Amino acid sequence: MSVLPAAISPFFTALAAGDDASSTTSTALTAGGSSKPILVNESCLEFLMMEMVDLMYRTTADSENDKESVYYKLEVLGYQVGQSLVERFTRDRPRFGDTLDVVKFICKDLWTIIFKKQIDNLKTNHRGVYVLQDNNFRWFLRMSTEGGGAEATKKAVPYLWFPCGLIRGALANLGVVSVVIAETTVLPQCTFQIKIAKS
Amino acid sequence: MIYNLYIFDRHCVCIFYIDWHRHRKSGGIMGSNNAGTTSTTTSMNGQPDGGDSGGSSSSPAHSAAANNHLASHHSTTSQLTSATSMFSDSRLVNIEEEAKLVYGVVRTLRNLVNKLSGNQDGFISYRTSNYKLHYYETQTGLKFVINTDPSTDSLRPVLRQIYTNFFVEYVVKNPLAPVGHPGGEGVNNEYFKAAVDKFVKNLPVFDS
């Protein structure tokens, strides 16, 4: 088994393989598949994710469209991670029937792997638009500010861009080209809207 | 009976303050002479000219202060410097000064006790005829100070719980609170305040 290319994917792999326990952070999987699952401390991953958004803000030069470039960077990062994740986790599955099956895979399996829970609500208009709703988004569980809900909601938006990219990358690698937009009204709830491109 | 709680970071800044049963202790002054007001429960930043984000609206602890039978108004101003604490010698000191005083006392005692007691955490609490101060310091230099009435047992486990269950969860793991809380920023957020408030109010020693 080859070592996964993206740096972040091994964290998710390990999370899926076992629960959080502090252990080695080695990323190599031994050949033959007989090894014990490699575990990663969940707090490490959380801190890394938190720092990721801050890092993007810090390393983007103050120019007129810096918010755009932060969005772009986070989304592309998520895109690549999503592609790798899907490569790894659809290994043993049967083929997907149609786009709805792909979206359902994302809602159930992929979300469980990354966030340890499923998407709470999936809506579609059967014409290529899907709305995924997560009522208890894991990264929002501890977000709060002094000013209360509205201010926290505004500040929480950049943290949704990476998952947007994740979904888009996952879909893309399964053959579905899409555009993903995220929004949140009340923490810890958030919604992702997927628009499938007409082919 | 628990009076108040301070949290200091290792840069000698008070990053969090909350109080409950705060009232004048001396001479049975009931509602008369309210030259001083109860201190607002806000966080503090390092600058001496009053908080901007720190001095915001009253917190849930104030509704608790309402059940305090002494009729002291709590100040609803948003300027930190106009909040005063009450010392029985009627010298009005504002909350920042008070926090500095507390920090000075605590730090001096801690150094003294550490010199006497060698390599472990010596200073746990001290008691006067009016109050008892409990102290807990973490490895990262965070200092938790809580004041109670003199007859309370050691609240060190309580302080430790506040640190591990609330501070780490809602401040350290909060993506919106900057790492290192410069000047106390990000500590005084909704979840942390509400959690600490609820926890302390549910303690058996709270009202005794």
Side-chain angles (χ1 to χ4, degrees):
Chain A
M1 278 168 222
S2 57
V3 177
L4 293 167
I8 302 180
S9 306
F11 281 109
F12 292 128
T13 309
L15 271 185
D19 1 335
D20 44 323
S22 55
S23 172
T24 172
T25 53
S26 145
T27 60
L29 300 169
T30 65
S34 58
S35 58
K36 295 195 303 281
I38 298 172
L39 304 175
V40 170
N41 191 312
E42 190 177 348
S43 296
C44 290
L45 177 62
E46 277 197 33
F47 289 137
L48 179 66
M49 293 289 133
M50 278 163 49
E51 191 54 31
M52 190 171 61
V53 177
D54 275 343
L55 170 75
M56 291 306 171
Y57 271 106
R58 272 204 314 266
T59 57
T60 308
D62 300 293
S63 52
E64 58 286 354
N65 42 3
D66 58 344
K67 195 146 190 229
E68 289 292 315
S69 40
V70 171
Y71 167 75
Y72 177 73
K73 284 188 193 179
L74 282 172
E75 221 258 346
V76 170
L77 184 62
Y79 184 79
Q80 310 218 342
V81 175
Q83 286 190 312
S84 314
L85 278 178
V86 154
E87 198 74 65
R88 160 73 173 82
F89 287 112
T90 55
R91 225 174 23 187
D92 305 314
R93 286 187 51 111
R95 288 202 166 280
F96 292 113
D98 61 357
T99 316
L100 183 61
D101 281 340
V102 174
V103 175
K104 281 208 266 203
F105 163 76
I106 292 188
C107 294
K108 294 211 250 244
D109 301 318
L110 200 67
W111 224 251
T112 312
I113 289 163
I114 305 173
F115 300 111
K116 289 187 175 175
K117 64 184 285 285
Q118 298 186 359
I119 288 274
D120 296 309
N121 206 336
L122 170 64
K123 294 192 272 253
T124 172
N125 71 354
H126 292 292
R127 268 192 277 268
V129 178
Y130 298 86
V131 176
L132 281 63
Q133 191 179 344
D134 189 336
N135 290 332
N136 230 335
F137 191 52
R138 205 174 159 77
W139 293 355
F140 288 173
L141 285 181
R142 296 188 186 94
M143 276 201 195
S144 75
T145 62
E146 224 173 303
E151 189 186 331
T153 309
K154 219 168 52 140
K155 288 199 178 167
V157 170
Y159 293 86
L160 286 173
W161 295 337
F162 180 77
C164 274
L166 259 173
I167 298 176
R168 191 168 72 90
L171 285 169
N173 216 6
L174 290 170
V176 179
V177 180
S178 60
V179 168
V180 181
I181 308 171
E183 61 187 10
T184 170
T185 43
V186 156
L187 298 183
Q189 194 204 57
C190 68
T191 335
F192 297 92
Q193 204 185 47
I194 307 178
K195 287 201 181 77
I196 313 273
K198 290 271 174 260
S199 55
Chain B
M1 181 164 295
I2 299 185
Y3 298 143
N4 52 17
L5 166 76
Y6 300 80
I7 304 181
F8 300 97
D9 70 2
R10 70 176 190 276
H11 303 295
C12 318
V13 173
C14 180
I15 58 178
F16 185 73
Y17 170 73
I18 191 172
D19 66 23
W20 296 277
H21 302 288
R22 179 100 184 231
H23 55 263
R24 277 184 186 273
K25 274 292 223 187
S26 58
I29 302 173
M30 309 264 290
S32 67
N33 179 28
N34 278 315
T37 57
T38 54
S39 30
T40 55
T41 62
T42 54
S43 71
M44 270 151 281
N45 45 29
Q47 292 98 14
D49 33 37
D52 36 64
S53 59
S56 57
S57 52
S58 53
S59 76
H62 262 305
S63 46
N67 61 16
N68 182 349
H69 61 283
L70 284 179
S72 41
H73 321 285
H74 46 81
S75 89
T76 52
T77 68
S78 54
Q79 284 307 318
L80 203 51
T81 46
S82 63
T84 56
S85 67
M86 288 182 285
F87 284 91
S88 51
D89 61 357
S90 79
R91 191 169 37 108
L92 299 178
V93 179
N94 73 14
I95 210 66
E96 273 189 26
E97 299 287 321
E98 183 186 307
K100 284 190 200 156
L101 285 173
V102 171
Y103 183 77
V105 166
V106 152
R107 180 153 172 160
T108 315
L109 281 174
R110 169 189 166 272
N111 289 347
L112 172 73
V113 172
N114 279 355
K115 286 203 174 81
L116 289 175
S117 75
N119 50 358
Q120 67 233 35
D121 282 331
F123 178 39
I124 296 179
S125 64
Y126 74 77
R127 199 174 64 166
T128 72
S129 53
N130 280 335
Y131 69 97
K132 182 170 178 181
L133 180 143
H134 312 252
Y135 174 74
Y136 175 70
E137 180 173 352
T138 71
Q139 296 283 24
T140 56
L142 280 173
K143 303 168 176 57
F144 292 77
V145 171
I146 197 167
N147 294 323
T148 68
D149 71 309
S151 59
T152 312
D153 295 329
S154 172
L155 284 188
R156 205 170 152 88
V158 166
L159 286 174
R160 197 185 145 73
Q161 234 184 325
I162 291 181
Y163 170 59
T164 54
N165 290 353
F166 303 124
F167 191 82
V168 168
E169 284 295 312
Y170 295 123
V171 177
V172 176
K173 287 193 180 178
N174 183 356
L176 302 180
V179 176
H181 341 289
E185 204 186 312
V187 180
N188 193 23
N189 59 52
E190 253 190 309
Y191 288 3
F192 180 61
K193 239 181 349 195
V196 169
D197 199 46
K198 198 169 100 156
F199 174 67
V200 170
K201 284 190 180 147
N202 286 338
L203 288 173
V205 293
F206 183 67
D207 271 325
S208 57

